[in-house]
Amino acid sequence: MNVSVRNLALWGAAMAVLAFLLLPLLLVLMFAFDASSVQVWPIHSLSLKWFAATWADEEVRHAFFISLEVAGLATALATVLGTLAAVGMNGLSSRVVQIGSFFLTLPIALPGVLTGIAMNSFFTAFDIPFTLVTLVIAHTTFCTVIIFSNVMARLRRLPPSLTEAAQDMGATPLQGFVTITLPLLSGAIASGMLLAFALSFDEVIVSTFTAGTQTTLPLWIFGAIRLGQHMPEVNVVVFVVVAVTLVPIIMGQKLAASISRE
């Protein structure tokens, strides 16, 4: 096969896969600007009126702020737990690290429905009411995995001679960590935080089992679609969720790429 023909075939196959993955999403995003309240293709006229109508909906605004609050709190808690777990495992035998990493990644490796049921059973067994607290705890479990993986990958590339040199200069292990190791980990931590926030903000499966009366934006979307109501508002909310999710993901990937070049 001619090289140009082969390249053209590969390019066509790549475009076909991208179209298969992205066209449904692009279609929903375009419907957010449809002036009609009925989804009909092709779109006859464009308007921003549904954005104003959606923001005026108190239920949607409340769900938006709940999503921000849960994602922010879960990311903050996960940053502390994931960083401590990675630092604590660093330097241990490879066998111990493999076992620890396996158990730490279970909340995100298992299907979300299993994690959600497990969290629901745990809270029910201890008579813990389903509130914002349980939702944050549930999100923290899988957000911790993101932080842990990022920090551990960075720690493996740091030479141990840095902390040894700090201790030779009279620094305590804590001082060496705060003044040397932590600044070097800051990029990996920031990248993990951005990805964890995005993951928490658009999570729906685990939230279904642990939210109680709390409603996040993804849960609001799920409920509205199931009932077939507020479809123009659903399109707008999907647009917002995608935008809020993509920004930290792109920023996190750029940070991760810059770290890998160091």
Side-chain angles (χ1 to χ4, degrees):
M1 181 183 292
N2 186 279
V3 175
S4 60
V5 175
R6 184 181 62 183
N7 291 340
L8 183 62
L10 291 174
W11 183 86
M15 291 301 101
V17 172
L18 287 175
F20 175 76
L21 295 175
L22 298 180
L23 277 180
L25 178 61
L26 292 175
L27 186 63
V28 172
L29 298 182
M30 291 176 63
F31 273 127
F33 300 92
D34 188 2
S36 173
S37 60
V38 180
Q39 295 182 2
V40 178
W41 185 262
I43 296 174
H44 297 294
S45 59
L46 301 177
S47 174
L48 295 175
K49 67 178 184 179
W50 295 117
F51 283 83
T54 302
W55 184 250
D57 190 329
E58 184 178 353
E59 186 178 358
V60 174
R61 287 202 313 273
H62 179 72
F64 175 72
F65 290 123
I66 288 292
S67 293
L68 287 179
E69 186 176 4
V70 170
L73 291 173
T75 300
L77 289 173
T79 300
V80 176
L81 297 176
T83 302
L84 290 177
V87 172
M89 287 190 185
N90 187 47
L92 299 177
S93 66
S94 59
R95 182 68 174 173
V96 174
V97 173
Q98 288 178 354
I99 295 174
S101 299
F102 171 77
F103 285 108
L104 276 171
T105 55
L106 277 181
I108 202 170
L110 292 173
V113 65
L114 296 183
T115 302
I117 292 173
M119 298 299 299
N120 182 283
S121 300
F122 174 82
F123 294 134
T124 302
F126 289 94
D127 293 326
I128 300 175
F130 292 96
T131 61
L132 184 70
V133 174
T134 57
L135 191 56
V136 170
I137 293 174
H139 281 223
T140 301
T141 57
F142 55 79
C143 287
T144 300
V145 179
I146 305 298
I147 305 295
F148 170 80
S149 300
N150 272 33
V151 176
M152 181 59 77
R154 180 58 172 161
L155 280 171
R156 287 172 177 168
R157 295 199 300 269
L158 294 181
S161 58
L162 293 175
T163 55
E164 292 172 358
Q167 292 176 8
D168 290 340
M169 296 295 292
T172 64
L174 179 60
Q175 289 173 332
F177 173 76
V178 172
T179 59
I180 296 178
T181 306
L182 189 58
L184 293 174
L185 295 177
S186 59
I189 293 174
S191 173
M193 291 178 67
L194 290 169
L195 296 176
F197 182 90
L199 182 64
S200 174
F201 188 83
D202 66 2
E203 208 289 323
V204 63
I205 300 177
V206 175
S207 300
T208 302
F209 293 93
T210 58
T213 59
Q214 304 296 323
T215 302
T216 62
L217 272 186
L219 289 179
W220 184 89
I221 294 172
F222 180 73
I225 290 178
R226 184 175 56 184
L227 298 175
Q229 299 175 344
H230 310 290
M231 292 310 297
E233 293 185 12
V234 168
N235 294 327
V236 172
V237 173
V238 169
F239 183 92
V240 172
V241 170
V242 170
V244 173
T245 303
L246 281 181
V247 171
I249 287 178
I250 294 172
M251 293 175 62
Q253 288 181 336
K254 288 186 176 181
L255 268 176
S258 65
I259 293 170
S260 64
R261 291 193 295 267
E262 293 179 0

